[in-house]
Amino acid sequence: MIALSVNLNKIALIRNSRDTTNPNIPQHAQMCIDAGANGITVHPRPDQRHIRVTDCFDLASMLHVEFNIEGNPMTGPRKTERSDVEDYPGFMALVKEIRPTQCTLVPDGDGQLTSDHGFDLKQDGEQVARLVQELQSLGIRTSLFMDPDPQQIRLAAQTGTDRVELYTETYARAFRTGDDLEHVFQQFVRAAEVAVDEGLGLNAGHDLDLNNLPRFATIAGLREVSIGHHLTVDAIRIGLADAVAAYQRALGTG
């Protein structure tokens, strides 16, 4: 079975557009779980523009499914100018205190609207390997956000990580436009094969939706997808519970 982890970032973004606690993040996490979600994902960025530090602790205190926290492990502490928003302690400090089921390391920067590339482990492999070991020593399963590049996937295995998460933007774009779709899809098939051959668990995410997910879900070895933006958009149209159920059906598990 392929697990569906619902990313709550966009729910938090709606809340942050007003001075309010509505929508309530733990309540919406529970709604997703009640509708069949297998896990919850958050990506707390240093500017806390959507998920905030307090959200991470609130979720950790109530979740009984997999909790996946993703982010850039190189980001340190940040002060906030708002009295009602807690300072950002740094990504690794946050994860070490919460100890989620899984930590997905992502090389995103402050200026990025969203994550848009995987790690270059030719450059950062030694540092990433140390971070992986640090997280695993706390009992946290690790995953690295990676492009579908077989050479980079092999380098990911050398870091000792438990899993990789394939960055699926190129597949989603090719599916949407029809440009070179078969070639792009086979890149992900090959990357998945290499990951499995290297003994890595395989996750995926970014711009997966109800249209492109069924085909992607046929890739052998896929264990988990993390979906937020499109699921939230679909929830506006059909309701959150029905959206979660629809994504489970798209995975072939609903």
Side-chain angles (χ1 to χ4, degrees):
M1 184 186 82
I2 303 170
L4 171 65
S5 186
V6 176
N7 188 316
L8 298 178
N9 280 25
K10 291 302 167 66
I11 301 295
L13 184 65
I14 294 171
R15 177 201 59 193
N16 294 356
S17 67
R18 299 283 293 273
D19 184 15
T20 180
T21 58
N22 186 31
N24 180 279
I25 302 306
Q27 286 180 3
H28 279 70
Q30 189 62 54
M31 290 168 64
C32 292
I33 294 163
D34 291 344
N38 307 106
I40 296 296
T41 291
V42 294
H43 188 142
R45 288 182 167 85
D47 60 11
Q48 302 188 74
R49 62 180 180 263
H50 31 61
I51 286 292
R52 294 172 177 166
V53 170
T54 50
D55 296 324
C56 297
F57 285 98
D58 289 345
L59 289 167
S61 69
M62 55 78 63
L63 286 176
H64 299 286
V65 297
E66 178 186 290
F67 189 19
N68 174 45
I69 300 181
E70 57 184 32
N72 189 333
M74 317 302 182
T75 54
R78 301 282 179 88
K79 289 285 188 182
T80 178
E81 295 180 358
R82 291 185 52 171
S83 60
D84 60 333
V85 177
E86 187 176 345
D87 289 340
Y88 185 77
F91 182 79
M92 289 295 287
L94 178 64
V95 171
K96 286 178 186 179
E97 187 167 356
I98 290 178
R99 299 195 184 188
T101 319
Q102 177 173 267
C103 179
T104 302
L105 304 183
V106 182
D108 62 340
D110 287 359
Q112 290 176 227
L113 184 62
T114 185
S115 307
D116 62 13
H117 64 279
F119 278 102
D120 178 359
L121 295 175
K122 294 179 183 177
Q123 174 180 306
D124 299 320
E126 290 186 9
Q127 185 175 14
V128 169
R130 289 193 296 270
L131 293 165
V132 165
Q133 185 177 22
E134 192 174 346
L135 292 167
Q136 290 173 336
S137 72
L138 298 173
I140 302 169
R141 186 174 74 228
T142 59
S143 182
L144 301 181
F145 196 64
M146 302 297 297
D147 297 312
D149 179 336
Q151 184 179 20
Q152 289 286 344
I153 300 296
R154 293 189 183 94
L155 291 174
Q158 292 177 20
T159 69
T161 190
D162 300 293
R163 296 189 182 188
V164 292
E165 178 177 328
L166 295 180
Y167 168 51
T168 51
E169 166 62 26
T170 54
Y171 165 74
R173 186 187 312 118
F175 193 97
R176 184 171 61 252
T177 65
D179 294 340
D180 215 13
L181 174 59
E182 191 58 34
H183 173 70
V184 172
F185 181 69
Q186 290 305 319
Q187 287 180 331
F188 283 89
V189 170
R190 177 57 181 153
E193 290 172 344
V194 171
V196 173
D197 287 346
E198 294 287 342
L200 296 170
L202 184 66
N203 299 344
H206 201 88
D207 268 359
L208 295 174
D209 61 25
L210 291 173
N211 295 317
N212 62 40
L213 185 57
R215 186 176 189 193
F216 197 87
T218 66
I219 293 179
L222 185 61
R223 295 190 185 183
E224 176 182 311
V225 293
S226 175
I227 303 178
H229 179 87
H230 287 285
L231 191 150
T232 305
V233 172
D234 288 323
I236 294 171
R237 179 172 56 87
I238 63 175
L240 183 57
D242 286 342
V244 172
Y247 276 86
Q248 288 287 26
R249 289 194 296 272
L251 287 169
T253 57

